[in-house]
Amino acid sequence: MALVDVTKSCIDSIHQISEHIEDATLYLDAGSTESFQFIGAFPVLLDLGVRAVCSLENMCSLDAVVDWNSKSDAARKIVVITSRLLSDAHRYILRCLSTHQGVRRCIIFTSISEISHSAYPDSPLGPDAFHEYESLLVQDYEELVKKAETKSTQPEDKSLQDNLPFEDEGWSRLMSSEGGFPRIEASSSGRDIYNNNLIGHAEDVGQKMVVSVHHFPMLLCPFSPRVFVLPSEGSIAEAYVSAEHEDSLSPGLPPLSTGLPSDGDDVPPGATLTAHFLYHLAAKMELKMEIFSIGDLSKTVGKILTDMSSLYDVGRRRRSAGLLLIDRTLDLLTPCCHGDSLVDRMFSSLPHRERTTSSTQTKGSQTQLKHGPSKLQRTPLDVQIPLQKILSEEDCKIDNFRLLESIEAFLCAWDSSNSASQIVDLTNLSNKVNDKRPLHSEIELFSGSFVSTENFRGTPYLEAIMDRRTKDGGILVKKWLQETLRRENITVNVKSRPGYVTKSELQPMIKALANSQPSLMRNKGIIQLAAATVVALDESHCATWDAFISAEKILTASAGDTTQSLAAQIGDLVNKSALMGSHGQKNGKTEPSHGVLSFQDALLLTITGYILAGENFPTSGSDGPFSWQEEHLLKEAIVDAILENPPIAKLEFLHGLREDLEANLNRMRSEKTKEVSSNQSEIDDFDDDQWASWGDEDADNYNNKEQVYGDMQLKLELRDRVDNLFKFLHKLSSLKRRNLPLRDGTLSLESNFSGDPYTSKGLLHKLLTRVLGKYDVPGLEYHSSTVGRLFKSGFGRFGLGQAKPSLADQNVILVFVIGGINGLEVREAQEALSESGRPEIELLLGGTTFLTPDDMLDLLVGDSSYFNPLIVELAPLKWGGNITHSSSV
């Protein structure tokens, strides 16, 4: 029987639509592009006869002339693959059709199923969503063509077209004050091609364009054949999984699993979309799922999946598999910590592609939700490996002026009658993009990305290092480089020590392999992976990561001691970050030095410390794990850190205070400077001026009183914000007490008092160990199908009851973590499988997204959190014995 391979299933799905995409101009949205990048699908598309692959959000008129496989003069077929809801992608699709001339057929593939479209809150589409959208798209397109034909008879304001900023080309035509249709009067290119295309369509309106919509569920990002996450800019990953209420932490994290029924009957959109995705993923891979879940939201997803399986799987023969759904909120500590994983280091160190759309919620969108946030802003998974920098800035520097000259020559040949406007646009291109920054600062001209299909003698690179520690993974990469150099007959004089890997060893080997273009193309997979390893092992990133590891070891060891010890260590980390930050401010540095933790880093460690405290001291205090005195010192340390470093006020819980904090710090510095100078002058002129300045004392006292009052107001407001932060930290410290599956301590994330966080395992390892060992797992629920419930309730009285299946009896197990996974958990899951002595089991691991510690900070106290610092309860604040209220500010 063939092994389960997620990547192969994705490629097979592309081959299944080969008839649709042949000789078509293919448009991919950001989520689809990200998915196809990891799959390595672009060569497959070329082989299947695709004319061109273009960006849906960033489409332009030049897309019409790009052609890979030319079989006709003009593109008559447009294919769109989107990971979004049709209502969200509609404005882009309409703009795409309006730009191309002579399109006879438009085929749309969406990863969101037809039932999900109708079940999504505030969706404009009903149960027959695909057919409804086909009619709506044709109707809107015809209306747009008629508007363009009418407007062509009216004089146009050419100055408006010429002066429109370059970067507004996309949004100016997408936004509409009424119906969300493109504004065809806005054209930034200086040409009339947009309107001319629409007018050219007018004669074809009688021959209606054929539109068809299909479901294409296999849009996911596989890191290996058995590890995958969802595209960062797809509707499933962006949909919220928790509405704002007492037990919720973030729209991107499931609520706490209290076991109590929710206040409302509404199911979060993220739960519905996730359930439908998993169902169709299993169907594509020909798996019949036995569903298990742990966590309240996972149970909801399991129930939706069970109902779908009961309706659609009758009579189908598929391979049996187990599905284990897990809520991320049952273990927040593991993704917050910096584990020993090379992949985690890479994703935290490498720059990521910027989001295609700056805002996922736009005017006229149909997805505005009444009881939850609009959309999440996930960090793109597509990293930008800086090959140009690593290969050598001197040897690989690209002359941007020559590049612009080449583009200019192409544009002049393309439209010689209007070349002047093209040259003007081209000359100002680098100054107009992104606040007048150079073009190469935003678009790396020579960068790489991860592709899961790149392999070494049949072994995919990413699969081999996913479950490796940092040292082991680096040594494996060095071994691959050495083998590749030997195969290419390239000799490199590098001093190498067995059992160790450094940046100075890898970089010469990378340069040697990339020295010639044929060698670069043949070995691009290992070159990109080795370059990513070099970045991860660079001193600037490695020192910071090691500093985190050291701090986390200290916190873990202190958690096994006393609350005083743990609180003192947290306070020490905050004070050190503030001290180093203030020194950096004086020296003109905006970024911390290598290995020095910033205040944001200290805040993440504070979160880690509070979670550890809740695990080890659950009943230490009435309002939190620490005593009043211990928490008071922590609050004062954070307040002092903020006052000394105003730039950190960009954090969400300090929104609106940055200008006041900066003004306060500048005033304090100027006063110190004046005080030093005045002391010196008083010593020199005391005899002459002691009576002359007598009358100014009253005015000085009045100004000082005003200043003291203003400082007091600022500090009171800041303390209110910090007090609200600590109330949120109290909620994080109560995870063990409030999460029902963790209460008995079987799965709790108890600290390892040896001080080494690597010897203590996360929830996923503990859960798989107990499941594969066939031990009872508290809170684990099996979702029986309709037939199973019939045997249990009906035939059970006659002794014909059906035994409850065990997850360990399945040869294929898919674990999906709602909320996201990280690289450390992939390694721990493989370790649990190896320790179980069950090598025949095929373990697949998936998650909503790939999480880094920075992502967790954003989800808990950043822009993607439900933590609202502006809502302060009218309760006494614990500050130095004085009782104040927010109303006094």
Side-chain angles (χ1 to χ4, degrees):
M1 187 174 292
L3 298 177
V4 177
D5 189 332
V6 177
T7 306
K8 183 177 181 299
S9 298
C10 293
I11 295 177
D12 289 344
S13 295
I14 297 175
H15 281 281
Q16 291 171 8
I17 63 172
S18 58
E19 294 182 1
H20 296 288
I21 63 178
E22 183 180 4
D23 197 32
T25 300
L26 179 61
Y27 279 89
L28 304 177
D29 70 351
S32 304
T33 303
E34 195 172 65
S35 173
F36 282 21
Q37 175 69 48
F38 276 92
I39 295 171
F42 295 109
V44 177
L45 297 174
L46 178 61
D47 293 339
L48 293 178
V50 174
R51 292 175 60 96
V53 179
C54 309
S55 170
L56 182 62
E57 293 92 346
N58 297 322
M59 69 87 55
C60 66
S61 302
L62 293 178
D63 296 343
V65 297
V66 177
D67 197 349
W68 286 358
N69 298 301
S70 178
K71 292 185 179 180
S72 60
D73 295 334
R76 298 290 180 178
K77 182 167 62 174
I78 298 292
V79 177
V80 176
I81 301 181
T82 177
S83 59
R84 295 186 178 277
L85 293 161
L86 293 172
S87 55
D88 288 344
H90 176 67
R91 60 192 187 276
Y92 298 111
I93 297 173
L94 194 59
R95 176 183 179 224
C96 174
L97 295 176
S98 304
T99 304
H100 286 271
Q101 187 173 7
V103 176
R104 294 291 183 269
R105 189 177 181 190
C106 176
I107 306 171
I108 302 170
F109 292 95
T110 174
S111 64
I112 311 301
S113 67
E114 195 167 25
I115 300 177
S116 297
H117 274 89
S118 60
Y120 198 82
D122 294 345
S123 173
L125 302 175
D128 195 15
F130 288 174
H131 287 92
E132 291 178 19
Y133 182 73
E134 292 170 2
S135 302
L136 289 172
L137 180 60
V138 172
Q139 178 183 348
D140 289 349
Y141 175 66
E142 291 177 355
E143 181 180 349
L144 195 61
V145 171
K146 293 177 181 177
K147 285 184 178 180
E149 185 180 22
T150 303
K151 198 170 288 288
S152 65
T153 60
Q154 302 174 359
E156 299 183 9
D157 187 357
K158 300 296 289 185
S159 61
L160 174 63
Q161 295 178 352
D162 294 336
N163 295 330
L164 189 66
F166 175 84
E167 62 269 23
D168 290 340
E169 181 178 359
W171 292 105
S172 63
R173 294 199 296 262
L174 301 184
M175 303 297 292
S176 174
S177 59
E178 296 178 3
F181 299 120
R183 289 170 49 192
I184 59 176
E185 69 272 16
S187 174
S188 64
S189 61
R191 300 184 303 269
D192 297 328
I193 185 172
Y194 184 76
N195 284 335
N196 289 340
N197 284 342
L198 289 176
I199 298 168
H201 298 338
E203 60 186 17
D204 300 327
V205 172
Q207 305 175 4
K208 285 194 174 183
M209 177 179 57
V210 178
V211 176
S212 59
V213 181
H214 308 276
H215 185 210
F216 187 80
M218 299 302 289
L219 287 182
L220 45 87
C221 299
F223 294 112
S224 75
R226 300 186 184 181
V227 179
F228 68 92
V229 295
L230 303 177
S232 60
E233 293 191 59
S235 290
I236 305 177
E238 289 183 343
Y240 75 94
V241 294
S242 174
E244 188 170 5
H245 56 80
E246 182 183 0
D247 295 326
S248 61
L249 301 172
S250 166
L253 295 172
L256 302 182
S257 299
T258 60
L260 302 175
S262 58
D263 297 336
D265 297 331
D266 295 336
V267 177
T272 303
L273 296 179
T274 300
H276 285 260
F277 161 76
L278 291 173
Y279 171 78
H280 291 286
L281 173 66
K284 282 290 183 181
M285 300 177 69
E286 297 184 350
L287 299 175
K288 181 182 178 182
M289 295 293 190
E290 297 289 347
I291 305 166
F292 298 81
S293 64
I294 182 167
D296 288 353
L297 186 68
S298 292
K299 291 179 181 179
T300 301
V301 174
K303 290 177 182 177
I304 298 174
L305 271 169
T306 303
D307 294 338
M308 294 181 65
S309 301
S310 302
L311 289 173
Y312 303 115
D313 287 348
V314 178
R316 298 188 181 184
R317 300 188 57 138
R318 295 176 179 171
R319 185 181 180 185
S320 179
L323 172 63
L324 176 58
L325 300 168
I326 304 174
D327 279 7
R328 176 76 273 170
T329 43
L330 294 177
D331 177 13
L332 295 180
L333 187 61
T334 301
C336 283
C337 291
H338 295 68
D340 191 9
S341 168
L342 179 59
V343 174
D344 283 341
R345 284 181 182 250
M346 287 179 177
F347 273 86
S348 295
S349 305
L350 290 167
H352 291 250
R353 170 186 57 82
E354 291 189 0
R355 291 183 59 87
T356 304
T357 55
S358 59
S359 176
T360 55
Q361 188 64 39
T362 58
K363 193 175 180 179
S365 176
Q366 299 292 330
T367 57
Q368 181 66 40
L369 305 175
K370 297 179 181 179
H371 304 292
S374 55
K375 294 291 180 64
L376 282 166
Q377 295 276 347
R378 299 283 190 186
T379 302
L381 299 171
D382 188 14
V383 297
Q384 302 295 305
I385 303 174
L387 293 175
Q388 177 181 347
K389 180 179 180 181
I390 292 173
L391 293 179
S392 165
E393 294 181 358
E394 293 79 10
D395 298 336
C396 300
K397 189 177 295 182
I398 297 177
D399 190 345
N400 290 327
F401 181 73
R402 292 178 58 189
L403 177 66
L404 292 177
E405 280 186 335
S406 301
I407 301 175
E408 177 184 332
F410 167 73
L411 291 176
C412 291
W414 172 62
D415 189 2
S416 58
S417 63
N418 200 16
S419 60
S421 63
Q422 300 299 327
I423 296 173
V424 172
D425 288 341
L426 191 63
T427 305
N428 298 326
L429 177 63
S430 60
N431 293 329
K432 287 185 176 181
V433 176
N434 295 319
D435 299 328
K436 298 185 179 181
R437 287 175 289 181
L439 181 64
H440 61 81
S441 67
E442 287 299 322
I443 304 174
E444 186 63 50
L445 296 178
F446 190 35
S447 63
S449 301
F450 289 133
V451 181
S452 64
T453 52
E454 295 286 357
N455 62 85
F456 181 81
R457 297 176 181 174
T459 302
Y461 292 120
L462 282 179
E463 180 185 18
I465 67 168
M466 278 298 295
D467 55 352
R468 301 268 178 167
R469 297 178 183 268
T470 303
K471 180 179 178 181
D472 296 338
I475 293 174
L476 184 59
V477 171
K478 183 172 75 170
K479 179 182 177 181
W480 284 333
L481 277 174
Q482 292 171 339
E483 291 289 337
T484 307
L485 288 169
R486 193 175 297 113
R487 186 181 60 197
E488 294 285 342
N489 294 322
I490 299 175
T491 303
V492 181
N493 294 322
V494 178
K495 293 182 179 180
S496 178
R497 292 190 301 167
Y500 292 91
V501 60
T502 61
K503 175 182 175 181
S504 59
E505 293 176 353
L506 297 180
Q507 198 157 350
M509 291 189 281
I510 297 172
K511 291 181 180 180
L513 272 180
N515 193 36
S516 65
Q517 187 173 353
S519 175
L520 174 64
M521 296 306 298
R522 282 194 303 268
N523 305 295
K524 60 184 182 300
I526 182 59
I527 290 175
Q528 292 182 116
L529 182 63
T533 305
V534 167
V535 175
L537 296 179
D538 187 78
E539 182 183 0
S540 59
H541 299 113
C542 200
T544 302
W545 193 276
D546 292 340
F548 265 112
I549 291 175
S550 177
E552 289 161 2
K553 284 183 179 181
I554 294 174
L555 293 178
T556 304
S558 300
D561 192 3
T562 61
T563 58
Q564 293 89 343
S565 175
L566 182 57
Q569 293 297 339
I570 296 174
D572 187 50
L573 291 170
V574 174
N575 289 327
K576 284 182 179 179
S577 68
L579 180 62
M580 299 308 297
S582 61
H583 283 317
Q585 291 285 327
K586 293 178 181 179
N587 296 330
K589 296 180 179 179
T590 57
E591 296 293 334
S593 303
H594 297 339
V596 177
L597 300 178
S598 65
F599 177 77
Q600 287 89 335
D601 300 332
L603 184 59
L604 178 60
L605 290 170
T606 301
I607 292 173
T608 301
Y610 262 78
I611 296 176
L612 286 170
E615 293 288 335
N616 295 278
F617 317 113
T619 59
S620 179
S622 57
D623 294 331
F626 300 115
S627 66
W628 178 90
Q629 294 85 353
E630 294 161 358
E631 194 158 277
H632 170 73
L633 293 176
L634 290 178
K635 291 181 179 180
E636 290 292 347
I638 290 180
V639 169
D640 292 340
I642 296 173
L643 290 174
E644 290 292 331
N645 300 278
I648 65 180
K650 63 183 179 180
L651 292 170
E652 183 66 18
F653 79 96
L654 297 174
H655 179 72
L657 291 183
R658 179 167 185 173
E659 293 183 359
D660 294 337
L661 290 170
E662 288 182 345
N664 178 71
L665 182 63
N666 293 332
R667 186 170 56 251
M668 291 175 62
R669 289 177 178 175
S670 63
E671 288 177 355
K672 288 183 180 179
T673 304
K674 290 180 180 179
E675 183 178 353
V676 172
S677 60
S678 63
N679 289 339
Q680 183 64 36
S681 62
E682 285 179 2
I683 294 174
D684 297 336
D685 303 331
F686 177 77
D687 294 334
D688 298 334
D689 298 339
Q690 59 179 333
W691 298 107
S693 61
W694 183 267
D696 297 334
E697 290 184 359
D698 293 339
D700 291 341
N701 289 336
Y702 179 78
N703 292 332
N704 289 336
K705 287 181 180 179
E706 276 195 340
Q707 193 59 56
V708 170
Y709 180 73
D711 293 344
M712 183 65 68
Q713 279 189 314
L714 179 61
K715 289 182 179 180
L716 284 174
E717 185 171 357
L718 179 58
R719 286 178 170 179
D720 277 351
R721 303 285 184 94
V722 173
D723 185 74
N724 220 30
L725 170 65
F726 274 80
K727 291 177 182 177
F728 185 79
L729 293 176
H730 293 167
K731 181 186 289 189
L732 295 178
S733 68
S734 66
L735 292 175
K736 180 179 179 180
R737 185 178 70 254
R738 299 177 67 177
N739 276 317
L740 187 60
L742 305 179
R743 288 181 187 174
D744 69 345
T746 304
L747 298 175
S748 61
L749 307 174
E750 66 272 4
S751 302
N752 184 277
F753 300 146
S754 66
D756 187 0
Y758 296 157
T759 60
S760 59
K761 305 297 183 180
L763 173 71
L764 193 56
H765 180 276
K766 296 175 191 257
L767 187 58
L768 285 175
T769 300
R770 295 191 66 85
V771 165
L772 297 177
K774 295 187 177 181
Y775 296 104
D776 290 336
V777 178
L780 184 65
E781 180 175 321
Y782 169 66
H783 298 267
S784 177
S785 62
T786 303
V787 177
R789 290 194 296 267
L790 179 62
F791 271 98
K792 182 178 179 180
S793 60
F795 298 149
R797 69 185 69 179
F798 303 108
L800 300 176
Q802 189 180 34
K804 177 181 177 181
S806 172
L807 190 59
D809 294 335
Q810 305 293 332
N811 289 327
V812 179
I813 299 177
L814 169 59
V815 179
F816 191 87
V817 182
I818 303 177
I821 58 173
N822 68 355
L824 177 62
E825 290 180 307
V826 176
R827 177 169 63 81
E828 291 186 351
Q830 293 297 330
E831 289 177 354
L833 181 61
S834 300
E835 294 167 1
S836 68
R838 301 282 305 279
E840 75 279 4
I841 293 180
E842 298 180 53
L843 179 64
L844 284 77
L845 182 60
T848 306
T849 189
F850 192 86
L851 293 171
T852 65
D854 288 339
D855 294 332
M856 290 302 299
L857 182 64
D858 180 67
L859 286 171
L860 293 175
V861 294
D863 294 339
S864 300
S865 173
Y866 279 135
F867 168 54
N868 189 350
L870 301 179
I871 302 177
V872 182
E873 298 178 5
L874 294 178
L877 305 182
K878 299 183 291 184
W879 291 98
N882 296 324
I883 300 179
T884 60
H885 294 78
S886 61
S887 58
S888 63
V889 179

